[in-house]
Amino acid sequence: MKELNADVVVIGSGPGGYVAAIRAAQLKKNVVVVERDRLGGECLNYGCIPTKTMINTSKLYSKLGLSSKYGIKVGTFSLDMQRLREWKNEVVLRLVKGIEMLLTGYGAKIVYGTASIKDRKTVSVKGAGEDIEINTSSIIIATGTKPAALPNLQPDGRVVITSRDAMDLDRLPESMLVVGGGVIGLELACMYQNLGSKVCVVEIMDQLLPGNDPELVRVVQRKLESRGAEIFLSSSISSVNKGEKGATLSIKTPDGEKERSVEKVLLSIGRVPSLDGIDTASLGIKTDKKGFILTDDRMMTSVEGIYAIGDIRGPPLLAHKASKEGIVAAENVSGIESHADWKVIPDAVFTDPEIATAGLTEKKATELGYEVKKARFSFAALGRALASDEVDGFVKIVADAKSDTVLGVQIVGPEASNLIGEAALAIEMGARIDDIALTIHPHPTLPEALMEAAELAAGRPIHQLRL
Ligand SMILES: Cc1cc2nc3c(=O)[nH]c(=O)nc-3n(C[C@H](O)[C@H](O)[C@H](O)COP(=O)(O)OP(=O)(O)OC[C@H]3O[C@@H](n4cnc5c(N)ncnc54)[C@H](O)[C@@H]3O)c2cc1C
């Protein structure tokens, strides 16, 4: 057995772990990162980046079908799934190499293998080569999550697939039934619809993207349905019959039992903590009922010296949240007092159109006792949205009627994921409606929609009749 000494061992190299490792190494700590798979974690290798690369192609492909409308004559065109996979892999590899370069450049040591925590000062690693024992002052757990499964619906990588499998199909399925209309399920449903698959979504709750503002979700659902998707809400899978070329599923719906035959079934019913090798109970690390690790706002667990960051701390499961938590943990283990004291964690859903939110919804603000002022500006009234033929959706701004302080922004529409950054900054800085309304936004651009919504909230809209 080989022995190593470290100041900090980071277990997992996703957007939580690798960022923590870089920050701790910048602060002159002797850092070891242990990864059992690939640098970059779920986000870079199987999640955020591959999905967004393929979603980008899917939107382009769907737009190509409309090219004559925009004055472009294209001959026949078709999808090359093999090339799309290669392109996605090229993007991922480039970023993985970038992370490796940053980690080694800052002096962090990368060890490949599965880590287990022996005690609060010792991490053991079993890999392809010699077993390693690392003596360390601090441990940061950043092991993320894995897909949840249903007892009657286990992924087999062939007919019943996970989001990982969905990123690696060598042929476009003619039809796909998505079990679970949450973020991942819906992003992939929109993506496969844009690539040409017939899509069906089964969601157990009474709305898609449960927990999101129904006003926003309705826009996405309408677009999916207008292009032929079937959506079953308050529904569940009662049986699955797998065959050579796909599966036939019985769906329990409020209108009775329905049967659908599809080529692929995508299972996306949520994620559970990934804790292989980390026996939280025997280590004394407190978790919630679902097994997610509990920490204080410095990311320290109930055990002194052991920290946890990212998805392993539970929802919201977001890469940018994991990274910020990684910085907080790294600073604390390096002797700098650091806290998770952000006001908002913006959220983006890469459906078609996109949904992005920051801060409080109208409902939440009212529940918290605010007297709410709100305004909604439609992309249909915005020059740039029209020029891009992307007019579905709106920007909604929610403010405190007494102080005009912006409490929340919800966007459904083109580039919502890119637009929400301005809203997050505004809320973090305690901006008032006029701060956005009086800021000159370049024309014609999509961010003007936020300014227009703010002008409307301020009671002096220019591009909308005052009602
Ligand atoms: C399909 C999909 C799309 C997504 N899209 C987005 C998006 O667009 N935007 C967004 O913000 N979020 C997105 N997410 C969520 C995002 O991927 C996660 O929030 C993020 O990856 C969490 O980072 P993390 O560092 O906590 O964990 P992870 O990225 O899950 O990394 C954990 C790492 O730990 C390693 N590991 C686990 N156990 C051990 C062990 N015992 N020893 C050694 N290594 C171990 C794993 O191999 C893995 O590499 C998506 C997720 C999926 C599945």
Side-chain angles (χ1 to χ4, degrees):
M1 165 122 39
K2 189 168 150 190
E3 267 198 49
L4 286 178
N5 292 313
D7 297 323
V8 191
V9 175
V10 182
I11 306 177
S13 71
Y18 87 77
V19 169
I22 288 175
R23 185 70 188 121
Q26 284 173 344
L27 293 167
K28 306 285 175 246
K29 291 287 142 186
N30 174 10
V31 181
V32 176
V33 191
V34 189
E35 174 54 59
R36 67 175 174 191
D37 185 10
R38 288 162 56 121
L39 290 179
E42 189 72 24
C43 175
L44 176 41
N45 293 287
Y46 314 104
C48 326
I49 299 299
T51 52
K52 270 80 253 183
T53 308
M54 290 181 67
I55 285 171
N56 189 54
T57 294
S58 75
K59 284 190 177 165
L60 194 62
Y61 187 68
S62 146
K63 272 257 160 137
L64 267 180
L66 298 171
S67 59
S68 60
K69 180 177 173 186
Y70 310 128
I72 309 171
K73 282 190 185 152
V74 285
T76 54
F77 61 93
S78 59
L79 188 67
D80 180 348
M81 280 296 272
Q82 307 272 6
R83 178 60 204 139
L84 175 52
R85 264 169 76 186
E86 281 166 19
W87 163 237
K88 180 256 308 175
N89 291 339
E90 283 164 23
V91 173
V92 169
L93 188 65
R94 204 161 150 178
L95 289 166
V96 170
K97 283 192 171 150
I99 291 176
E100 186 177 21
M101 183 274 292
L102 287 168
L103 283 170
T104 49
Y106 277 112
K109 185 174 175 55
I110 304 163
V111 169
Y112 288 97
T114 300
S116 53
I117 303 180
K118 214 166 144 188
D119 57 52
R120 69 192 184 91
K121 298 275 176 204
T122 324
V123 172
S124 312
V125 184
K126 278 196 189 311
E130 195 181 2
D131 290 355
I132 302 174
E133 194 152 282
I134 314 170
N135 306 306
T136 181
S137 308
S138 309
I139 298 169
I140 300 177
I141 304 171
T143 49
T145 56
K146 53 189 176 188
L150 287 170
N152 65 344
L153 205 56
Q154 296 289 335
D156 58 19
R158 190 182 63 87
V159 175
V160 181
I161 60 172
T162 63
S163 60
R164 279 197 187 191
D165 304 318
M167 295 290 95
D168 253 336
L169 298 181
D170 53 9
R171 226 171 42 78
L172 181 76
E174 258 174 44
S175 52
M176 179 179 281
L177 185 142
V178 180
V179 185
V183 174
I184 295 172
L186 220 54
E187 285 187 4
L188 295 182
C190 290
M191 179 184 108
Y192 272 103
Q193 184 179 63
N194 276 334
L195 290 175
S197 301
K198 171 136 182 63
V199 168
C200 171
V201 182
V202 178
E203 166 57 50
I204 199 158
M205 306 297 279
D206 61 3
Q207 76 160 62
L208 295 175
L209 296 172
N212 273 274
D213 187 337
E215 257 188 292
L216 305 170
V217 179
R218 218 169 291 133
V219 177
V220 175
Q221 178 167 348
R222 235 183 355 238
K223 187 157 182 191
L224 266 168
E225 285 176 331
S226 73
R227 294 184 302 167
E230 270 193 302
I231 294 172
F232 296 110
L233 299 176
S234 307
S235 302
S236 57
I237 305 296
S238 35
S239 72
V240 187
N241 220 325
K242 283 196 256 176
E244 269 299 295
K245 292 192 173 153
T248 301
L249 297 98
S250 280
I251 310 163
K252 193 173 161 208
T253 79
D255 301 322
E257 206 72 15
K258 309 267 178 199
E259 202 174 85
R260 293 293 178 271
S261 294
V262 289
E263 200 179 322
K264 299 279 179 205
V265 179
L266 170 66
L267 194 58
S268 63
I269 52 154
R271 316 263 315 168
V272 293
S274 174
L275 279 167
D276 313 331
I278 300 166
D279 185 350
T280 48
S282 72
L283 288 162
I285 298 174
K286 288 199 178 126
T287 62
D288 69 9
K289 275 188 277 182
K290 292 183 173 164
F292 289 109
I293 295 180
L294 299 171
T295 73
D296 60 17
D297 70 354
R298 296 172 308 143
M299 303 300 129
M300 193 155 88
T301 67
S302 48
V303 177
E304 180 85 30
I306 302 186
Y307 293 73
I309 56 170
D311 281 10
I312 196 63
R313 291 185 65 241
L317 307 181
L318 293 167
H320 41 281
K321 171 182 156 281
S323 297
K324 278 282 181 276
E325 291 175 355
I327 292 172
V328 170
E331 292 184 346
N332 282 307
V333 300
S334 307
I336 297 175
E337 176 96 11
S338 185
H339 298 265
D341 64 351
W342 40 82
K343 281 193 207 160
V344 289
I345 302 172
D347 185 53
V349 186
F350 296 79
T351 40
D352 186 7
E354 294 178 352
I355 291 178
T357 60
L360 303 179
T361 58
E362 182 185 350
K363 184 166 174 263
K364 190 76 194 162
T366 310
E367 279 167 16
L368 289 173
Y370 286 103
E371 193 186 316
V372 168
K373 181 189 254 190
K374 60 174 181 178
R376 202 177 120 151
F377 186 82
S378 291
F379 283 106
L382 194 76
R384 181 59 183 271
L386 227 79
S388 321
D389 197 17
E390 303 267 4
V391 293
D392 290 336
F394 56 85
V395 172
K396 182 173 172 183
I397 196 161
V398 175
D400 174 9
K402 288 196 182 122
S403 64
D404 263 10
T405 306
V406 179
L407 300 172
V409 172
Q410 294 88 43
I411 307 174
V412 55
E415 301 291 334
S417 59
N418 286 322
L419 299 182
I420 203 67
E422 178 180 346
L425 180 67
I427 299 168
E428 279 295 340
M429 296 190 72
R432 291 181 314 127
I433 284 171
D434 263 351
D435 292 318
I436 299 176
L438 296 176
T439 298
I440 298 182
H441 287 63
H443 177 74
T445 60
L446 295 173
E448 281 178 297
L450 193 62
M451 178 189 73
E452 299 274 3
E455 285 177 346
L456 194 55
R460 33 172 213 279
I462 298 297
H463 294 104
Q464 188 162 318
L465 292 174
R466 216 176 329 174
L467 299 173

